[in-house]
Amino acid sequence: MSRRARWAGAQRDERGDYSIFVAVMVIGLLVLGGVAYEAPRIMAVRQQALHTAQQASQLAASMVAAGEPYSGIKKEVSKRVEETAPPYGQRMYLIRLQCTGNLVRAVVAASYSNVTVLSLFGSAQRMEATAAAEVVLYGPRGERVHQPYLPECRDWLGPNERQN
């Protein structure tokens, strides 16, 4: 008897067909559960990083307006950023502080470690947030002084970046 005739007449053994389907569904539900659990946590860390960057740029702008030197500003802003208590116990740190024209930009980074099945795809994510604050100076009579470029920012630039 040929193989074709043997297979055509034989009944198909369906045992185990559903176990593959159930295994695939369980894995899919685990991944979806991990995404549902991690996504709001990741968004909270990103929001906190953005909020911290905004606070850091505002603090730096007020210190520039007060005439503080760059080294003192960077030290104080870094200290404040690191003291920030982000959600889920992650650490935040200042990456860069820039002064361009009359804007002060702060770039803050936070790392988030995955705790669910998503850690199979990468255990940690690094998030950066950038915020800018305008330095506003007022004259002796309370009028706003418009300066497109602050002389205080000149000290922040390297020798190749200085505008003459």
Side-chain angles (χ1 to χ4, degrees), residues 11 14 19 21 24 28-30 34 40 46-47 65 71 83 85 92-93 98 105 117 123 152-153 155 157 159 164:
Q11 282 189 348
E14 295 181 1
S19 62
F21 175 73
V24 169
L29 287 174
L30 279 174
R46 281 195 179 137
Q47 280 299 113
S71 58
E83 288 174 353
M92 289 195 185
Y93 49 94
Q98 297 173 319
R105 283 187 185 82
V117 81
S123 61
E152 291 86 353
C153 289
D155 298 336
L157 301 173
N164 295 326

Side-chain angles (χ1 to χ4, degrees), residues 74-92:
K74 183 152 185 167
K75 183 178 177 183
E76 182 64 27
V77 171
S78 291
K79 182 179 136 193
R80 293 270 182 99
V81 166
E82 289 173 7
E83 288 174 353
T84 301
Y88 314 114
Q90 306 300 324
R91 184 174 165 262
M92 289 195 185

Side-chain angles (χ1 to χ4, degrees), residues 33-102:
V35 168
Y37 181 76
E38 296 283 354
R41 293 170 65 99
I42 291 169
M43 294 304 293
V45 171
R46 281 195 179 137
Q47 280 299 113
Q48 184 65 31
L50 181 59
H51 182 68
T52 302
Q54 289 170 343
Q55 286 180 333
S57 64
Q58 289 172 355
L59 174 64
S62 66
M63 291 178 79
V64 166
E68 295 287 330
Y70 173 73
S71 58
I73 294 171
K74 183 152 185 167
K75 183 178 177 183
E76 182 64 27
V77 171
S78 291
K79 182 179 136 193
R80 293 270 182 99
V81 166
E82 289 173 7
E83 288 174 353
T84 301
Y88 314 114
Q90 306 300 324
R91 184 174 165 262
M92 289 195 185
Y93 49 94
L94 182 69
I95 294 178
R96 189 170 45 254
L97 196 58
Q98 297 173 319
C99 185
T100 308
N102 65 343

